[in-house]
Amino acid sequence: MGFLSFGSKKDKMRKLIEEERFDEVVRTAVKDKKAFSGLLELLDENNPGIVGDALLILTDILETSRDVFKDSLSSDFFQKLMTLMERRNPYVRENAMLLSYRLVESFPEVVSKNRGWVIDAIRKGLEEGDKNQKGFLLMVIGELGLSELRPEVETLIGVEDKVILPFEGKKWVPLGEIARETLEKLP
C-alpha cells in the first residue's frame, strides 16, 4: 500500500540525507509536498550536519523548481532562517545565509509584502549580529533597496573588520566596503 501516504516524511528525508542521496532528496521533495514539508521539518533538528544539508538541498530546489516554495514562504519561515543564521556552526549559518539570499532574489514580492517585519528583523540583526551576519544583512539591504535602513548602513562604513560570507568575492572583505557597496544600491 505504498500509494497511501500518511504523516510526515521527515524520517525518510533524514535517511536519504544520511545516505548522501541528495539528488533523490531533491527529486522527491519537488514531486511530493509532504516530502518537501519533511525536508523543512529537518531545519529543527539538533544535528547541524542534517540541518546544513537540508538548507543546501533547499537552495538546490529553489534554483531548479522555484514554485515548490510558494506555499512555504511565511514570516515564520524567514524568522526560522534568521535564527539559523545565528547558529555557531558555520555550515548551518552559511547555508542559511545562502538560502535566505536566494529566496530574497527569487521572491522579492513576498519580501515587499512583509516589508515591516523584514526591516525590523534586519535592524535587530545589524544591532546584535556578529560581523559576518551584519555583512550578509548589508547585502540583503542592497538587494531589496531598503533605504529606510540607510542610517544604520552609514554607521558601518568605517568598519575595517573583515567578514567571510558564502558568496563569490565576499571572503575577507572589510565590512565597511560592503556597507559602501550597499549605499550605492540604495535609492
Side-chain angles (χ1 to χ4, degrees):
M1 290 201 123
F3 65 91
L4 292 177
S5 174
F6 299 105
S8 171
K9 294 203 175 178
K10 175 179 150 182
D11 292 336
K12 178 181 180 181
M13 295 290 100
R14 182 190 307 105
K15 186 173 191 275
L16 290 172
I17 289 172
E18 288 170 346
E19 295 171 355
E20 298 184 10
R21 295 165 52 191
F22 303 127
D23 289 341
E24 189 174 341
V25 174
V26 170
R27 280 193 309 275
T28 304
V30 167
K31 291 179 189 173
D32 182 349
K33 285 184 179 187
K34 284 189 177 183
F36 183 76
S37 293
L39 188 58
L40 292 177
E41 288 176 41
L42 291 176
L43 298 180
D44 294 323
E45 288 283 304
N46 290 326
N47 180 333
I50 295 292
V51 175
D53 286 346
L55 288 163
L56 197 56
I57 291 166
L58 287 167
T59 303
D60 285 347
I61 291 170
L62 178 63
E63 292 174 358
T64 59
S65 305
R66 174 183 183 266
D67 292 340
V68 175
F69 276 86
K70 284 227 189 257
D71 296 334
S72 302
L73 297 176
S74 65
S75 60
D76 290 342
F77 180 65
F78 280 103
Q79 288 170 346
K80 179 181 300 246
L81 289 175
M82 293 291 285
T83 300
L84 291 171
M85 282 185 259
E86 296 170 1
R87 291 265 185 98
R88 294 182 57 87
N89 184 296
Y91 187 57
V92 171
R93 185 177 58 240
E94 290 178 7
N95 284 331
M97 286 180 186
L98 193 59
L99 176 58
S100 298
Y101 195 76
R102 297 292 184 253
L103 285 168
V104 165
E105 286 179 321
S106 298
F107 296 100
E109 68 280 4
V110 173
V111 177
S112 292
K113 188 173 85 175
N114 297 291
R115 193 173 182 95
W117 72 257
V118 169
I119 289 172
D120 291 343
I122 291 174
R123 184 172 282 128
K124 180 181 177 197
L126 289 175
E127 291 170 5
E128 300 174 5
D130 68 21
K131 63 185 178 185
N132 294 316
Q133 291 165 330
K134 289 177 183 180
F136 169 72
L137 293 172
L138 287 171
M139 290 178 58
V140 171
I141 291 167
E143 180 68 29
L144 296 175
L146 299 175
S147 56
E148 299 93 331
L149 295 169
R150 180 180 294 277
E152 288 87 344
V153 174
E154 289 171 345
T155 65
L156 298 171
I157 289 177
V159 178
E160 291 299 317
D161 293 346
K162 298 201 187 269
V163 300
I164 302 171
L165 299 176
F167 301 99
E168 186 70 33
K170 298 296 182 201
K171 300 205 186 303
W172 298 108
V173 177
L175 187 59
E177 184 177 316
I178 297 172
R180 285 187 287 282
E181 290 171 6
T182 299
L183 284 174
E184 290 173 9
K185 292 180 180 180
L186 294 180

